[in-house]
Amino acid sequence: MRLKWVRVIIGVFIISVLTGCNSLPPTRSLIKPPKYSQNESENSDDIKLIAKNFLPEGTKFLYPVHPNGSDAVQLVDIEGDGQYEILITYKGYELSSASGAIILKKENNEWREFWHNRNSLNVLGLDWAKFIDIDDDNVVELLLGWNLGFEVGCILNIISFKGDVPKKVSSIQYNEMDIVNLSGADNEKKPEIALTIKEADQRDIFVPPLILRWVDDGLVPADDVYYIYYRDSIDNLKQSIGMYERNFIDWYNLAEMLIRAKRPLEAIDAVDKALKIIPGPYERYRVKLGIYKAEALIYQWKYFEAKYILDSIILRDLNNEVKCTEDEMAAVYLNLGRVYMGLKDYKNARKMFVESNEELKKKYKEGTELFILNSYALKKEMAELEAAEGLKE
C-alpha cells in the first residue's frame, strides 16, 4: 500500500513539473465564461496579426498553461457592452527578459493600447490567464498566474475593470491553483479559487488547498464548501493510509481537511493518531494538531476540554517549551474566544479576539491580501460577538 501511495506522489510531482504551478485535481463543476467573440471575420489569425503589432521589442507571445487550450491572444467582451477587447500575454526571448500583459481596445475603428502591465519579477512562464466574474457583479476580472519557478512558486494577480482605469486589486503567492464553482451551505454563485500555499520545506509534499472566495476587498476562506471540495480527497487519503499506516504527514493532512470540512469526530481521531507517531522532524506540527483538536471539541460544545488544550499551548509557549508562530497564537486566541462565546462570557471572548488580532498584525500588515485572508474567521466571530452583546443589552 505504501509503495502504491509513493507512486501516486511521484506521479503528482511529475505532473506539476510538466504543467506549471497547477497540480490540483480537475474540477467537475462548470463556470459560466465571459463572452468571447464568435464573429467569423475576427478569427484567431486576424487577432494574432493585430496583437503582434503591439508586442514590445524582443518579445513573443506567452501561452498560459491553464485553462487547458488557452491562447496567448484572447478576444473578450470585458464590459459586456458588445465591444470586444484583446488580451495579449508576452515574454522576451531570454530567461530573465521582460514579460507582461496588454489589453487592446478599439476606439474610432482603430485598436489602441488600453492597459499594459509589465512584470518587475523574473517570470519563467504563465500558469493561468482567465477572465471570470469573481464577485458576481456582471463585470469580469482578469486572473493572471505568473510562474516564478519551482522554488518560489507562482503569483496570482487579479485585475479589476471597474472604473475608468484597470487596477490590480489582489496579488497572492501560490504553488497550485484551480478555479471551481461549488454551491455550498450559503448557496453562493461566486466562483471559488483553490490555492495551495506551501512553506519552503513543503515543496515536494501534498498540502491541502485553501478554498477561497472574493468577499468585499479580498479572497477569504469559503468555509461552506470545504466539505464538498475535500470529500473525495478525504476518502482517498483514508483508503491509502489504512487503519495502521504510520505515515505522519498523511494523518496530519487528514486532520486538517477534516477540521476544515467540519467533521469533528473524525478530526479528533486523525489528530490522536498523528500525535502518537509524530517524528522529530515534524515536532513543530504538534501545536497545530492541538489547535485542530481544540477546534473539533468546540464544535461538539466541549468547551472546558478545548480550553485546557489551548491554555496548555499558551503556558508552554511562555515557558519556552515550544516556539509558537504568530499564526498559531492567533488561532489559539481565536479558539479561546470561541470557547468563551460558547460559555456566554462575552467580556473574555472579546479579550481573546483582540489578542488574536494583535498576533495577526505582528505577522501581516493590515489591509494586505494575507491579512484579509487570515483575519476573516476572526472578523466573523467578532460580528457574532457584537450581535450576542446586542441581544444581551
Side-chain angles (χ1 to χ4, degrees):
M1 184 67 74
R2 181 187 293 272
L3 181 59
K4 178 181 177 182
W5 185 242
V6 169
R7 286 173 179 163
V8 171
I9 294 296
I10 292 172
V12 169
F13 175 75
I14 292 171
I15 291 170
S16 69
V17 171
L18 295 176
T19 62
C21 288
N22 190 65
S23 67
L24 296 178
T27 176
R28 291 172 292 179
S29 302
L30 298 177
I31 299 173
K32 185 178 179 181
K35 296 178 182 178
Y36 291 91
S37 175
Q38 301 298 320
N39 190 335
E40 293 181 3
S41 66
E42 291 185 296
N43 58 49
S44 59
D45 291 336
D46 293 335
I47 299 168
K48 284 279 178 65
L49 287 174
I50 295 167
K52 197 170 183 179
N53 292 325
F54 288 88
L55 281 176
E57 186 176 352
T59 67
K60 58 183 178 180
F61 294 130
L62 178 60
Y63 292 80
V65 177
H66 304 100
N68 291 337
S70 295
D71 205 328
V73 179
Q74 300 181 32
L75 190 66
V76 62
D77 180 3
I78 293 173
E79 299 168 346
D81 58 1
Q83 300 297 314
Y84 290 89
E85 289 78 32
I86 298 175
L87 169 69
I88 308 166
T89 50
Y90 69 86
K91 187 183 183 307
Y93 295 98
E94 303 299 327
L95 186 64
S96 60
S97 57
S99 62
I102 301 169
I103 290 180
L104 307 179
K105 195 176 182 71
K106 207 169 194 178
E107 296 177 355
N108 298 322
N109 211 32
E110 185 177 340
W111 289 102
R112 300 180 184 276
E113 189 175 287
F114 172 60
W115 174 78
H116 190 170
N117 179 246
R118 299 173 179 83
N119 287 315
S120 58
L121 299 172
N122 181 23
V123 166
L124 295 184
L126 182 58
D127 184 46
W128 274 87
K130 184 174 181 65
F131 288 96
I132 188 169
D133 182 5
I134 63 170
D135 53 5
D136 196 31
D137 67 348
N138 296 317
V139 178
V140 296
E141 285 75 33
L142 172 61
L143 276 58
L144 292 171
W146 300 100
N147 189 340
L148 307 181
F150 180 74
E151 290 297 323
V152 181
C154 300
I155 189 161
L156 172 64
N157 291 333
I158 300 178
I159 314 302
S160 170
F161 297 96
K162 287 189 280 287
D164 296 329
V165 180
K167 181 175 69 171
K168 182 166 65 177
V169 292
S170 183
S171 185
I172 190 167
Q173 197 166 327
Y174 71 94
N175 297 91
E176 291 103 28
M177 172 177 161
D178 196 9
I179 301 175
V180 297
N181 199 349
L182 305 171
S183 180
D186 296 340
N187 199 27
E188 273 280 359
K189 295 180 181 178
K190 298 176 187 176
E192 291 82 28
I193 299 174
L195 285 187
T196 299
I197 302 175
K198 297 184 178 183
E199 302 292 337
D201 61 349
Q202 297 176 319
R203 295 287 186 253
D204 57 350
I205 64 174
F206 170 72
V207 173
L210 298 169
I211 315 303
L212 309 177
R213 185 185 291 134
W214 190 270
V215 175
D216 297 331
D217 299 318
L219 292 171
V220 300
D223 294 324
D224 60 308
V225 297
Y226 273 116
Y227 78 98
I228 300 173
Y229 187 89
Y230 281 161
R231 186 183 296 143
D232 291 343
S233 297
I234 288 171
D235 290 343
N236 292 338
L237 192 51
K238 280 185 173 182
Q239 290 177 17
S240 69
I241 60 180
M243 290 296 294
Y244 306 103
E245 181 60 61
R246 296 186 62 81
N247 187 321
F248 168 76
I249 285 295
D250 286 350
W251 284 115
Y252 175 82
N253 286 334
L254 184 59
E256 187 171 272
M257 288 191 288
L258 287 167
I259 198 64
R260 288 179 184 167
K262 293 182 172 57
R263 293 162 63 170
L265 288 174
E266 296 166 274
I268 289 172
D269 182 62
V271 166
D272 288 342
K273 284 185 169 62
L275 288 171
K276 284 180 182 178
I277 61 171
I278 186 168
Y282 294 104
E283 185 62 29
R284 67 187 181 89
Y285 287 84
R286 187 180 294 276
V287 171
K288 281 193 174 179
L289 286 167
I291 294 169
Y292 293 155
K293 186 168 184 177
E295 189 170 338
L297 289 167
I298 292 168
Y299 287 144
Q300 298 176 73
W301 307 289
K302 296 180 179 180
Y303 301 120
F304 291 105
E305 291 180 49
K307 186 176 184 299
Y308 176 80
I309 294 172
L310 298 166
D311 285 341
S312 297
I313 293 173
I314 293 175
L315 184 61
R316 291 172 62 209
D317 182 67
L318 288 172
N319 292 333
N320 293 317
E321 295 174 28
V322 295
K323 182 59 179 174
C324 296
T325 66
E326 292 92 346
D327 280 330
E328 288 168 343
M329 291 307 299
V332 167
Y333 287 121
L334 171 66
N335 282 293
L336 275 172
R338 288 167 171 162
V339 165
Y340 286 117
M341 282 286 290
L343 297 173
K344 294 183 170 48
D345 183 348
Y346 301 139
K347 182 178 179 181
N348 277 316
R350 181 172 290 277
K351 286 181 180 178
M352 294 301 103
F353 291 152
V354 169
E355 289 290 344
S356 181
N357 189 55
E358 290 302 314
E359 291 294 331
L360 288 173
K361 288 195 292 186
K362 291 178 187 176
K363 182 72 179 285
Y364 310 108
K365 184 178 178 181
E366 285 190 86
T368 61
E369 289 85 353
L370 289 176
F371 183 86
I372 292 169
L373 191 160
N374 287 282
S375 65
Y376 185 66
L378 176 60
K379 183 179 177 181
K380 289 203 300 183
E381 296 292 348
M382 286 294 291
E384 288 190 19
L385 172 60
E386 288 169 5
E389 289 176 329
L391 289 173
K392 188 178 178 182
E393 291 176 357

